[in-house]
């Protein structure tokens, strides 16, 4: 069975590093598990450390503000295969390779990472083909962001943006929505499973569709 450890570096630029869980690696986890890949998730912002790494293939998802920590991880570990993903690697592929990464996954990574790990090429018919983020892969209740005194958790109802503004780090100039049923089912699942009553929408451009 293929195995991978997915790491999200700490986020000292936020109010605190445990404001919200990293949905990116949780989407990847759910998708890879669907194809029988064993996945470990570590979030260095909630006390996880690189000493906890279980697998020899390591994927690190990071932003520009997190790049130093990502590169430092590579310097500390020997004999591992490193894969970069997320906003910074998407735009700075060569820099990542120069700093020790063996592969850069650009843009939204589910199908590309699956193909890289297994050789299996999957074509998604719609965004709904991607499972809900695997919120059991991290201790979800250790993240804290209240909305009107209610504990909240992030969700996404779309991906991308149809525009290409020069000041923005949007990974791809394309936009796709989840179906209404998908979003309702996910909100209901989160409420029933984890008892959340408040949600943060993390879409790049939630209000583009007036409907």
């Amino acid at each position: 069975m293929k195995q991978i450890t997915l790491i999200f570096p700490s986020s000292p630029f936020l109010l605190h590093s445990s404001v919200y869980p990293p949905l990116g690696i949780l989407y990847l986890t759910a998708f890879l598990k669907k194809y029988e890949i064993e996945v470990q998730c570590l979030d260095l912002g909630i006390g996880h450390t690189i000493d906890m790494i279980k697998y020899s293939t390591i994927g690190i998802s990071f932003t520009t503000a997190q790049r130093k920590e990502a590169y430092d991880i590579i310097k500390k570990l020997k004999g591992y295969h490193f894969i970069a993903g997320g906003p910074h690697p998407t735009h700075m592929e060569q820099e990542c390779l120069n700093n020790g990464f063996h592969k850069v996954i650009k843009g939204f990574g589910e199908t590309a990472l699956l193909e890289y790990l297994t050789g299996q090429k999957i074509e998604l018919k719609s965004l709904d083909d991607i499972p809900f983020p695997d919120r059991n892969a991290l201790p979800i209740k250790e993240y804290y962001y209240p909305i009107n005194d209610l504990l909240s958790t992030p969700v996404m109802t779309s991906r991308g943006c149809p525009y290409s503004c020069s000041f923005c780090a949007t990974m791809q100039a394309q936009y796709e929505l989840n179906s209404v049923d998908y979003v309702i089912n996910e909100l209901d699942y989160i409420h029933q499973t984890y008892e959340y009553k408040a949600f943060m929408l993390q879409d790049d451009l939630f209000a583009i569709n007036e409907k």
Side-chain angles (χ1 to χ4, degrees):
M1 177 180 287
K2 297 289 184 179
Q3 300 169 323
I4 187 171
T5 294
L6 297 177
I7 296 176
F8 189 72
S10 59
S11 304
F13 46 87
L14 298 178
L15 294 174
H16 52 85
S17 283
S18 57
V19 171
Y20 47 75
L23 287 185
I25 65 171
L26 298 185
Y27 272 113
L28 290 173
T29 298
F31 189 79
L32 294 177
K33 284 183 176 179
K34 180 180 177 180
Y35 294 95
E36 300 184 347
I37 295 174
E38 194 167 329
V39 185
Q40 176 196 27
C41 278
L42 298 176
D43 181 353
L44 304 187
I46 60 170
H48 293 163
T49 67
I50 59 175
D51 295 331
M52 301 167 67
I53 292 171
K54 294 168 59 176
Y55 304 128
S56 59
T57 299
I58 299 173
I60 307 178
S61 176
F62 57 100
T63 64
T64 298
Q66 297 167 311
R67 70 191 185 282
K68 184 180 184 303
E69 185 174 8
Y71 300 152
D72 285 345
I73 291 171
I74 294 177
K75 293 176 183 177
K76 294 174 182 177
L77 299 175
K78 304 300 180 183
Y80 291 85
H81 188 83
F82 292 100
I83 305 168
H88 188 77
T90 292
H91 295 285
M92 302 296 291
E93 178 180 10
Q94 191 58 52
E95 178 191 286
C96 293
L97 296 173
N98 292 344
N99 278 276
F101 280 98
H102 300 95
K103 174 67 176 178
V104 173
I105 301 292
K106 301 175 73 172
F108 303 116
E110 286 88 355
T111 58
L113 183 56
L114 176 67
E115 183 176 359
Y116 182 69
L117 293 174
T118 69
Q120 186 176 6
K121 192 169 185 176
I122 300 295
E123 185 173 341
L124 301 178
K125 295 180 180 179
S126 76
L127 201 54
D128 289 1
D129 290 340
I130 298 175
F132 301 154
D134 184 359
R135 292 177 172 85
N136 292 323
L138 289 171
I140 202 73
K141 288 299 182 73
E142 291 191 19
Y143 298 92
Y144 180 76
Y145 189 88
I147 297 176
N148 292 335
D149 297 325
L150 295 174
L151 190 62
S152 70
T153 196
V155 295
M156 292 181 66
T157 68
S158 66
R159 287 195 181 185
C161 173
Y163 307 114
S164 298
C165 301
S166 61
F167 56 81
C168 183
T170 295
M171 291 191 290
Q172 293 175 327
Q174 64 185 53
Y175 181 73
E176 189 172 359
L177 284 162
N178 283 113
S179 68
V180 173
D181 286 343
Y182 181 100
V183 175
I184 291 174
N185 289 337
E186 181 176 6
L187 294 177
D188 183 62
Y189 170 78
I190 295 170
H191 174 65
Q192 296 296 331
T193 306
Y194 307 104
E195 299 182 344
Y196 284 102
K197 298 180 180 178
F199 304 94
M200 294 181 288
L201 295 173
Q202 286 197 331
D203 300 45
D204 287 334
L205 195 58
F206 173 71
I208 191 171
N209 190 324
E210 293 183 3
K211 296 181 179 181

